[in-house]
Amino acid sequence: MNEPAVQTPKPQSLRLVLAVLLVVYIFNFLDRQIVNILAEPIRRDLGLSDTQIGLMTGIAFAAFYTFLGIPIARYADRPSTNRVGLIAGALIIWSGMTALCGQAQNFVQLLLARIGVGVGEAGCSPAAHSLIADLAPPEKRASALSIYALGIPIGTLLGMLIGGQLADAYGWRAAFVVVGVPGIVLAGAVVLLLRDPRRAGEALRAANAAPPPRTLSNREALTEILGSRAFVLLLAAGSAAAFLSYGKATWTTIFFQRTHGLSPGDTGFWFGIWGGVAAIIGTLAGGWLADRFGKVNRRHVMTAPAIGFAVAVPLSIAAYCMTDWRWALALLMLPTALNSLYYGPCFSSAQGLVKPEARAMASALLLFSQNLIGLGLGPLFFGMLSDGIKPMAGEESVRWVLYGAAVIGFVPAFFFWRTSLRLNEELDRKGP
């Protein structure tokens, strides 16, 4: 007599997973980046310096985000971990702390609330990248991760647009509360709609009496990841790119308000929409170009990011030179798109350079370097530089800081090119 077949759950649709995780990541960046459009009214209300603005928008969030990201990623890499539950719990924490930002009465309270946002958001992307990499085949991984990465420009766009309009109408405190509360509701939808594909794997192993895969130790995972020369170069490239992206995002927003005299609402509307559209186009194009030309030669996965950052340098300088904000905005669109080409190629390569058991850890290391150096130091460094040259440059200090930021674009271009030289040898050598 034949034993009844064991019913195993069907693999979840990649499209559904991407759609839900995209919405989560939109909220992630909405809550993270709304502080940029609110920075100038916060500065005036609480009497902050540019250095304190840099601390609030950068290192306060990034320090805890980056250092907690690695142990959370190790937890996400464990075969027994429910990554969907981890993402939902993280969403509740960062959304609640965003709402608390609106209750801050001084710089210290606001700093602590921003730290709380960073603590929550540390649980999102490593687990999400690992989920997507499990479901997407290697030849479509860059496009899949680029779709997830659309949360960056869309969330930033909505943060600037919604935050700016709310700040003009009701003040910066109300803006934090309005964008924070819906994320708590979204966490329930995540749990209802998604399931971790590991559950299907557990059922299948139970049917075949197969043991679960072994969890790598911390030392083994780090040895696996840092043993890849391409991954080390990718860390340098991604960190330099994030340093510029986060630094310029904060201070370009302030530039339009302080130098060109726009209100937070006007800045959020014009720069938010057009900058967001350009970043969306660049993010999608980066993933498509990586998958399209990476099939011909794996090194071309990084060709578009390398060329994009280099070409963006003169275009950015020209934009910051403009005395009319409309011309400045128009000229910034192309470099914004070019500087957005790297996300899908960067994180898909990170997933392909290591074993599946170390994928969340690989994403966490890349996010660690990008956020500690990029988000943590970018806004802070440019803020300190603005304070330092303000005695000479006056209200034009931000414009001169952005000139320097544009020139630094050659640094990530160089490292993306160096990374490309290693990809044919190393990419996906660990298996799909």
Side-chain angles (χ1 to χ4, degrees):
M1 182 175 179
N2 293 330
E3 295 183 0
V6 177
Q7 297 295 318
T8 60
K10 294 182 180 179
Q12 192 156 219
S13 164
L14 176 60
R15 290 184 178 181
L16 174 62
V17 172
L18 284 175
V20 174
L21 291 181
L22 171 59
V23 175
V24 172
Y25 206 38
I26 288 171
F27 273 80
N28 183 295
F29 260 79
L30 193 163
D31 291 356
R32 183 187 309 191
Q33 296 294 84
I34 190 174
V35 72
N36 290 339
I37 194 66
L38 302 178
E40 192 66 5
I42 290 173
R43 181 187 70 87
R44 292 193 297 265
D45 189 17
L46 300 183
L48 307 183
S49 68
D50 283 353
T51 299
Q52 287 176 311
I53 290 292
L55 283 169
M56 177 191 67
T57 58
I59 196 69
F61 173 94
F64 283 82
Y65 180 96
T66 54
F67 283 103
L68 283 173
I70 291 178
I72 291 175
R74 294 300 298 134
Y75 176 72
D77 273 331
R78 291 171 55 184
S80 60
T81 296
N82 182 348
R83 290 168 291 185
V84 172
L86 175 60
I87 292 169
L91 176 56
I92 291 173
I93 294 172
W94 88 63
S95 298
M97 296 307 295
T98 297
L100 281 179
C101 286
Q103 309 306 310
Q105 300 300 312
N106 54 54
F107 175 67
V108 173
Q109 291 177 3
L110 186 58
L111 203 68
L112 291 173
R114 286 290 295 168
I115 288 172
V117 177
V119 169
E121 293 198 6
C124 180
S125 281
H129 288 171
S130 178
L131 272 172
I132 294 168
D134 282 355
L135 292 168
E139 66 275 11
K140 295 182 179 179
R141 198 174 286 151
S143 295
L145 284 167
S146 291
I147 292 172
Y148 172 72
L150 288 176
I152 298 174
I154 296 174
T156 301
L157 184 160
L158 291 177
M160 296 186 69
L161 183 61
I162 296 172
Q165 295 299 318
L166 288 173
D168 281 358
Y170 305 106
W172 61 269
R173 298 181 186 279
F176 278 122
V177 176
V178 170
V179 302
V181 172
I184 299 173
V185 179
L186 175 62
V190 171
V191 174
L192 291 174
L193 292 172
L194 299 186
R195 64 175 180 272
D196 195 319
R198 286 173 178 164
R199 299 307 183 205
E202 287 173 359
L204 186 60
R205 283 193 298 273
N208 296 326
R214 188 175 71 88
T215 302
L216 298 178
S217 68
N218 290 337
R219 183 173 181 176
E220 288 173 327
L222 285 173
T223 300
E224 161 74 16
I225 294 166
L226 298 180
S228 166
R229 179 71 179 277
F231 190 90
V232 173
L233 289 167
L234 196 63
L235 279 177
S239 300
F243 180 84
L244 290 178
S245 297
Y246 284 116
K248 289 197 295 184
T250 297
W251 292 101
T252 300
T253 302
I254 293 173
F255 168 73
F256 277 107
Q257 295 176 63
R258 191 179 301 178
T259 301
H260 290 293
L262 273 66
S263 71
D266 288 338
T267 303
F269 182 81
W270 293 109
F271 183 61
I273 288 181
W274 291 106
V277 169
I280 289 169
I281 293 171
T283 301
L284 283 174
W288 181 83
L289 289 168
D291 284 341
R292 170 68 177 81
F293 294 100
K295 293 177 183 178
V296 178
N297 188 322
R298 302 308 293 272
R299 67 176 293 181
H300 289 319
V301 169
M302 289 296 164
T303 297
I307 294 175
F309 271 95
V311 173
V313 171
L315 294 171
S316 298
I317 292 174
Y320 297 134
C321 282
M322 295 294 107
T323 56
D324 188 312
W325 68 268
R326 298 169 188 82
W327 280 106
L329 181 67
L331 286 172
L332 276 176
M333 294 307 94
L334 188 53
T336 298
L338 293 171
N339 286 344
S340 303
L341 294 171
Y342 79 97
Y343 193 98
C346 194
F347 280 94
S348 67
S349 295
Q351 297 294 298
L353 290 168
V354 301
K355 294 177 180 177
E357 306 93 291
R359 280 174 174 165
M361 182 64 164
S363 285
L365 275 179
L366 192 51
L367 288 166
F368 177 94
S369 65
Q370 285 188 329
N371 285 285
L372 186 62
I373 295 173
L375 180 56
L377 300 182
L380 176 60
F381 174 78
F382 294 142
M384 294 173 64
L385 193 58
S386 176
D387 277 340
I389 66 173
K390 193 171 289 184
M392 297 175 291
E395 290 299 308
E396 290 290 282
S397 62
V398 174
R399 189 197 298 269
W400 285 98
V401 165
L402 290 172
Y403 287 150
V407 175
I408 297 173
F410 287 122
V411 176
F414 170 78
F415 280 112
F416 279 124
W417 169 70
R418 289 290 298 163
T419 303
S420 73
L421 301 181
R422 307 283 308 182
L423 292 185
N424 277 322
E425 177 183 348
E426 295 191 37
L427 199 56
D428 283 327
R429 62 186 172 88
K430 302 295 182 181

